[in-house]
Amino acid sequence: MTATLGPLLVDAADPPAMAAFWSAALGRPEQERLLRFRVQRAPKTVKNRVHLDVAVGPEGRGVDRLLRLGARVLADHLPDWVTLADVEGNEFCAFPGRPDDDAAARVFAVCTDSAQPEQLAAWWAARVGARIGPGPDQTPRWLHGCAGWPGLIWKFVRVDDARITPNRWWPTLAESVDDLVAAGALMRSDGTLVDPQGNEFSADPESPAG
């Protein structure tokens, strides 16, 4: 059975403030479709292992708009992209080039760090009915056509840094927990579900995912 992805569940020190920033950045309908905020379990201490890629207006104007909303620059790779932090320090990447520079940013990818991205991409592709395509290095680690995420790419990004803390951004799935565990997911002693590489996610067959 294909699991349907829903909004990312995001830990936040101030959920209303985070919702306000992302609603202004993306437009409220897109924010509500893609992001759901909850009170954090612990403060942010390290770089997130899950982040968004967004398309913005050209020539830095779209980036400037995000800065006016409260984002800040972490690393400038312009004219290609810029790594930003939202109002609580969560990393995301903005790619200029959209012609409608005054419009809201558009999420086009969800990125998940992995030391073995090909294996993780293959596991998730089988869960969410996605087609696996190549990343920039031509290895099979980008997912297209994920159920519930129309128009989004799920990128598995090669990293060699060790996992230190639980993820602050979780995928949500409309799917049976038992089916996911049978497919290789693990349930921790506290009831948290994780994929085969330890990334947390939430699953509920009655969830309005997608």
Side-chain angles (χ1 to χ4, degrees):
M1 181 179 293
T2 298
T4 301
L5 287 158
L8 289 164
L9 186 61
V10 179
D11 280 6
D14 186 342
M18 280 281 284
F21 170 82
W22 283 104
S23 180
L26 304 177
R28 185 171 179 179
E30 277 299 279
Q31 177 264 299
E32 292 180 344
R33 183 176 78 88
L34 296 174
L35 301 172
R36 185 177 302 157
F37 303 97
R38 67 177 178 185
V39 175
Q40 66 185 15
R41 298 151 296 161
K44 177 173 163 51
T45 56
V46 297
K47 177 180 76 73
N48 290 346
R49 297 181 69 88
V50 178
H51 74 267
L52 301 179
D53 283 351
V54 303
V56 297
E59 300 174 3
R61 294 195 295 273
V63 172
D64 288 344
R65 176 180 176 274
L66 293 171
L67 297 180
R68 291 195 299 271
L69 294 175
R72 57 188 174 87
V73 175
L74 297 178
D76 188 341
H77 305 282
L78 293 173
D80 297 322
W81 83 94
V82 58
T83 302
L84 302 175
D86 68 16
V87 291
E88 289 195 0
N90 297 288
E91 301 85 359
F92 67 104
C93 293
F95 293 76
R98 296 184 69 194
D100 46 349
D101 57 285
D102 291 327
R106 176 180 62 83
V107 177
F108 69 89
V110 176
C111 303
T112 299
D113 288 354
S114 172
Q116 297 178 308
E118 296 85 2
Q119 291 89 329
L120 193 57
W123 189 84
W124 275 107
R127 309 285 75 75
V128 299
R131 174 179 60 85
I132 305 176
D137 59 0
Q138 300 306 303
T139 61
R141 55 186 179 83
W142 285 15
L143 303 190
H144 304 265
C146 300
W149 284 358
L152 296 186
I153 304 168
W154 194 352
K155 300 179 181 180
F156 291 88
V157 180
R158 193 182 311 281
V159 300
D160 56 12
D161 51 307
R163 182 185 306 280
I164 297 174
T165 63
N167 291 351
R168 295 177 64 81
W169 295 53
W170 295 15
T172 61
L173 296 166
E175 179 59 291
S176 160
V177 171
D178 290 343
D179 288 347
L180 290 162
V181 170
L186 303 173
M187 183 174 287
R188 292 176 176 158
S189 59
D190 63 359
T192 300
L193 283 166
V194 297
D195 67 21
Q197 293 186 11
N199 296 289
E200 295 84 357
F201 65 93
S202 176
D204 181 351
E206 304 302 320
S207 171

